[in-house]
């Protein structure tokens, strides 16, 4: 509503109008060209940045500036309240539980929990996982773990201390001890030769 008002009063240039309407235009283009996916929201970062470039115009009029602040504060409060991935109730919960709140829905949750609770922060971890499986929780709270993706359990290197294995990836050879197994086949192995730095 504010943009047409400013255009009518000749207080908003054409460039500023294009920048300010970038999120709306991008939403229309996205809706017309691709199917809905819940993670498409990340693509709005660039159009929102373009719109923010024209936000200084709204600071010229005190009423518009306070209106923008009111909308922003309301949006922030509603976003925090309605965020199903990080609702207010999760603060204080274990990290592994917060990370897996919206997925995955299989034994990988148990492997992530085991890694969080039992694998040292600076360990060397191999991941024999599939392309859709989650990997980021295994890097640790401060990304201190050295994580390597291994195409199969037979290619796991001796310098790895731990090996997380998806159900279809097979069993590693000698030198590995099974320390966790989920019902659907997710497993974690510990190397019998491991030395975890900083553990």
């Amino acid at each position: 509503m504010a943009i047409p008002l400013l255009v009518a009063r000749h207080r908003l240039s054409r460039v500023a109008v294009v920048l300010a309407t970038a999120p709306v235009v991008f939403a229309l283009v996205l809706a017309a060209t691709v199917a809905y996916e819940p993670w498409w929201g990340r693509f709005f970062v660039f159009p929102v940045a373009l719109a923010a470039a024209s936000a200084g115009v709204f600071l010229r009029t005190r009423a518009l500036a306070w209106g923008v602040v009111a909308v922003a504060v309301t949006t922030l409060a509603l976003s925090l309240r309605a965020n199903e991935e990080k609702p207010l109730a999760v603060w204080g919960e274990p990290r592994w539980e917060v990370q897996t709140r919206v997925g995955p829905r299989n034994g990988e949750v148990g492997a992530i929990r085991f890694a969080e609770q039992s694998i040292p922060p600076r360990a060397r971890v191999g991941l024999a996982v599939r392309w859709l499986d989650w990997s980021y929780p295994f890097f640790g709270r401060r990304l201190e773990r050295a994580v390597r993706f291994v195409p199969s359990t037979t290619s796991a290197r001796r310098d790895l201390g731990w090996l997380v294995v998806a159900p279809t990836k097979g069993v590693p050879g000698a030198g590995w001890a099974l320390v966790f197994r989920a019902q659907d086949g997710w497993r974690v192995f510990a190397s019998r030769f491991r030395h975890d730095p900083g553990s």
Side-chain angles (χ1 to χ4, degrees):
M1 298 298 278
I3 294 173
L5 179 63
L6 290 173
V7 170
R9 294 182 178 180
H10 304 288
R11 299 186 66 178
L12 198 61
S13 69
R14 289 178 180 166
V15 173
V17 170
V18 170
L19 293 176
T21 58
V24 175
V25 171
F26 184 74
L28 294 173
V29 170
L30 199 64
T33 56
V34 296
Y36 173 78
E37 294 289 347
W39 46 84
W40 283 145
R42 70 187 72 182
F43 296 124
F44 278 87
V45 171
F46 185 67
V48 168
L50 290 176
S54 66
V57 175
F58 296 103
L59 300 179
R60 296 179 189 167
T61 307
R62 186 175 296 270
L64 285 177
W66 281 110
V68 169
V69 170
V71 170
V73 169
T74 303
T75 302
L76 176 63
L78 292 174
S79 297
L80 290 174
R81 180 69 179 95
N83 186 350
E84 67 177 28
E85 293 186 25
K86 304 286 189 299
L88 298 177
V90 303
W91 302 111
E93 295 294 328
R95 182 172 176 270
W96 69 266
E97 190 171 322
V98 176
Q99 287 184 316
T100 59
R101 184 175 179 86
V102 294
R105 303 277 186 230
N106 56 26
E108 190 176 9
V109 173
I112 291 169
R113 179 180 183 177
F114 179 87
E116 180 73 20
Q117 296 175 342
S118 302
I119 297 180
R122 305 188 76 174
R124 294 182 182 99
V125 180
L127 297 182
V129 296
R130 302 157 300 195
W131 72 279
L132 276 176
D133 295 325
W134 288 20
S135 59
Y136 70 89
F138 298 103
F139 284 81
R141 183 180 301 272
R142 292 186 173 85
L143 305 177
E144 292 177 314
R145 292 192 189 122
V147 175
R148 289 202 176 100
F149 292 92
V150 294
S152 71
T153 54
T154 57
S155 62
R157 294 168 39 166
R158 278 289 180 94
D159 64 338
L160 296 174
W162 303 83
L163 185 60
V164 179
V165 181
T168 61
K169 290 295 184 171
V171 178
W176 294 95
L178 180 66
V179 292
F180 170 83
R181 181 181 179 88
Q183 288 184 345
D184 63 353
W186 276 93
R187 290 149 294 158
V188 178
F189 294 87
S191 171
R192 299 184 192 278
F193 312 103
R194 76 180 181 278
H195 171 68
D196 296 321
S199 60

